[in-house]
């Protein structure tokens, strides 16, 4: 870690960070948070600097963001805890709702697929948005009352981690009445995050109990799981949820972020940890985003997830955002 320079980003949203998105060609970072903020930062690799570009506030908590290439240029979309899907207009500092949206609960996942937007909701709704018309053109609902927890998309398929620890694969483009194929989750406890491998030959899934499962679609003999984000004491072992996953592009190098406040780096080919980044702070690592030059790390106080009660004196620690120059 000594060879990396870490810069803490000023003017970070204080509330829980829900998504971090890297725009490598523009050298920008987009962050959404539960206080309704959409924040855009500019970064410079040569000078190791990060600066605030713009900031918009929506009236509801924002859960996800996505950048979509359209015939009219690139568009930013966000989704909210109220089930909204919104096109962002940075010039007018406004949000334009997507038409014919059927979601009734929050939408934690939105992804770009060939100029369209795929959205997954807590009510189990999957929707495809035509970004040229800003309108939903396909809507399906997962069976058995499953909720979408995490989702990832590449040029051929989509993988979804749902409630009840189910994982489903879909061939893309999404077709009407397609419920997907249920596949092995590889984990005993509820999944937190799922990511397709950069090669498209499998996926990784993290869970509440400090484990990551690595699954391969064509060769089950290659699958494995490993423990991480644990603290081994003399008479006990503390286990932390693995909240965030991010691959270094075009590689088998995976970063994991946990509620222990740390980030680990793994080589999935050798099945070994190759680097352990020092603990950032006392908050949980909740979001990661990576390219060849930088790793973005967002930490937030997620103690509200395990606190049974909340009184007037209960106050969450502010979120923080770091850029690790690789």
């Amino acid at each position: 870690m000594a060879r990396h320079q870490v810069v803490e980003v000023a003017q970070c949203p204080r509330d829980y960070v829900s998504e971090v998105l890297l725009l490598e060609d523009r050298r920008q970072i987009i962050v959404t948070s539960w206080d309704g903020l959409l924040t855009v930062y500019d970064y410079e690799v040569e000078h190791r600097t990060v600066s605030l570009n713009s900031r918009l506030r929506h009236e509801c908590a924002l859960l996800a963001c996505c950048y979509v290439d359209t015939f009219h240029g690139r568009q930013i979309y966000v989704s909210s805890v109220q089930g909204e899907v919104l096109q962002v207009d940075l010039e007018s500092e406004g949000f334009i709702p997507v038409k014919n949206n059927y979601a009734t609960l929050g939408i934690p996942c939105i992804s770009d697929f060939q100029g369209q937007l795929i959205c997954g909701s807590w009510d189990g709704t999957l929707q495809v948005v035509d970004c040229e018309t800003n309108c939903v053109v396909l809507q399906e609902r997962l069976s058995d009352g499953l909720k979408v927890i995490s989702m990832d998309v590449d040029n051929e398929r989509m993988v979804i981690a749902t409630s009840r620890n189910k994982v489903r694969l879909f061939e893309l483009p999404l077709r009407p009445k397609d419920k997907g194929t249920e596949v092995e989750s590889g984990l005993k406890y509820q999944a937190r995050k799922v990511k397709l491998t950069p090669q498209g030959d499998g996926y990784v899934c993290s869970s509440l109990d400090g484990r990551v499962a690595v699954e391969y679609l064509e060769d089950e003999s290659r699958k494995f799981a490993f423990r991480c984000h644990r603290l081994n004491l003399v008479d006990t072992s503390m286990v932390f949820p693995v909240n965030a996953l991010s691959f270094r592009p075009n590689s088998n190098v995976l970063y994991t972020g946990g509620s222990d406040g740390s980030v680990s780096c793994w080589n999935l080919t050798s099945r070994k940890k190759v680097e352990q980044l020092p603990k950032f702070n006392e908050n949980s690592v909740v979001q990661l985003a990576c390219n060849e030059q930088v790793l973005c790390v967002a930490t937030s106080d997620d103690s509200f997830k395990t606190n049974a009660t909340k009184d007037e004196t209960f106050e969450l620690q502010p979120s923080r955002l770091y850029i690790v120059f690789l």
Side-chain angles (χ1 to χ4, degrees):
M1 181 61 185
R3 70 181 187 276
H4 302 323
Q5 181 176 349
V6 180
V7 173
E8 182 172 357
V9 178
Q11 296 176 286
C12 176
R14 290 182 58 86
D15 212 337
Y16 189 92
V17 174
S18 55
E19 184 87 275
V20 174
L21 183 64
L22 264 173
L23 307 182
E24 185 172 6
D25 58 343
R26 292 198 174 193
R27 298 201 173 183
Q28 289 185 325
I29 304 162
I30 301 178
V31 177
T32 54
S33 50
W34 278 75
D35 51 8
L37 287 178
L38 168 75
T39 308
V40 181
Y41 302 95
D42 298 319
Y43 70 90
E44 292 187 16
V45 175
E46 295 81 5
H47 301 98
R48 302 293 199 264
T49 59
V50 184
S51 58
L52 179 66
N53 177 297
S54 55
R55 174 169 279 171
L56 284 71
R57 185 184 292 274
H58 184 54
E59 59 186 8
C60 301
L62 297 180
L63 301 183
C65 60
C66 186
Y67 214 48
V68 183
D69 283 308
T70 72
F71 290 118
H72 303 296
R74 289 183 166 180
Q75 300 288 342
I76 300 174
Y77 282 84
V78 295
S79 58
S80 82
V81 74
Q82 296 294 333
E84 302 164 293
V85 183
L86 306 158
Q87 185 186 66
V88 179
D89 189 335
L90 290 175
E91 293 186 2
S92 67
E93 298 186 347
F95 298 89
I96 305 169
V98 163
K99 298 184 288 292
N100 295 341
N101 178 10
Y102 296 92
T104 58
L105 296 176
I107 298 176
C109 311
I110 55 176
S111 296
D112 169 34
F113 174 71
Q114 298 181 359
Q116 294 185 318
L117 194 69
I118 302 178
C119 313
S121 172
W122 286 331
D123 66 5
T125 301
L126 297 176
Q127 298 185 103
V128 177
V129 177
D130 180 352
C131 296
E132 301 300 329
T133 61
N134 207 35
C135 181
V136 172
V137 293
L138 189 149
Q139 182 263 343
E140 294 293 334
R141 180 158 294 187
L142 296 175
S143 58
D144 306 321
L146 296 176
K147 300 178 180 179
V148 176
I149 303 296
S150 179
M151 180 175 78
D152 196 25
V153 168
D154 64 15
N155 290 327
E156 297 182 359
R157 59 180 57 89
M158 172 172 67
V159 62
I160 295 176
T162 73
S163 54
R164 300 186 219 152
N165 205 27
K166 305 291 185 182
V167 175
R168 292 199 178 182
L169 278 173
F170 295 79
E171 297 299 319
L172 296 179
L174 198 62
R175 300 178 300 275
K177 300 182 180 180
D178 184 3
K179 304 298 182 183
T181 302
E182 189 170 310
V183 293
E184 179 72 33
S185 74
L187 298 168
K188 183 178 179 181
Y189 294 93
Q190 176 62 50
R192 272 285 173 89
K193 199 76 173 180
V194 66
K195 293 289 289 185
L196 290 163
T197 60
Q199 296 77 18
D201 57 352
Y203 62 91
V204 295
C205 195
S206 68
S207 75
L208 291 170
D209 69 329
R211 290 178 186 266
V212 174
V214 184
E215 303 285 341
Y216 291 96
L217 302 176
E218 302 298 332
D219 187 358
E220 288 193 359
S221 66
R222 296 174 60 197
K223 71 178 183 179
F224 66 98
F226 60 91
R227 298 178 179 180
C228 52
H229 300 281
R230 294 167 178 245
L231 178 61
N232 295 316
L233 304 175
V234 175
D235 55 352
T236 187
S237 177
M238 298 181 65
V239 179
F240 299 91
V242 185
N243 306 310
L245 301 170
S246 185
F247 277 101
R248 189 175 292 177
N250 305 312
S251 76
N252 275 326
V253 175
L254 174 70
Y255 290 98
T256 62
S259 289
D260 57 347
S262 68
V263 174
S264 300
C265 181
W266 309 85
N267 186 314
L268 299 188
T269 302
S270 64
R271 303 187 181 186
K272 292 182 178 180
K273 182 191 289 188
V274 295
E275 190 173 18
Q276 178 66 51
L277 280 67
K279 186 172 180 176
F280 288 87
N281 54 58
E282 295 306 312
N283 284 344
S284 299
V285 174
V286 294
Q287 298 293 333
L288 295 172
C290 178
N291 61 28
E292 296 284 2
Q293 298 177 309
V294 300
L295 170 68
C296 300
V297 181
T299 69
S300 294
D301 186 349
D302 63 357
S303 59
F304 65 90
K305 295 180 179 179
T306 54
N307 282 355
T309 59
K310 178 178 171 183
D311 57 33
E312 294 181 356
T313 62
F314 184 84
E315 184 176 352
L316 296 177
Q317 295 300 309
S319 295
R320 298 165 77 176
L321 182 65
Y322 302 87
I323 308 302
V324 182
F325 291 93
L326 303 175

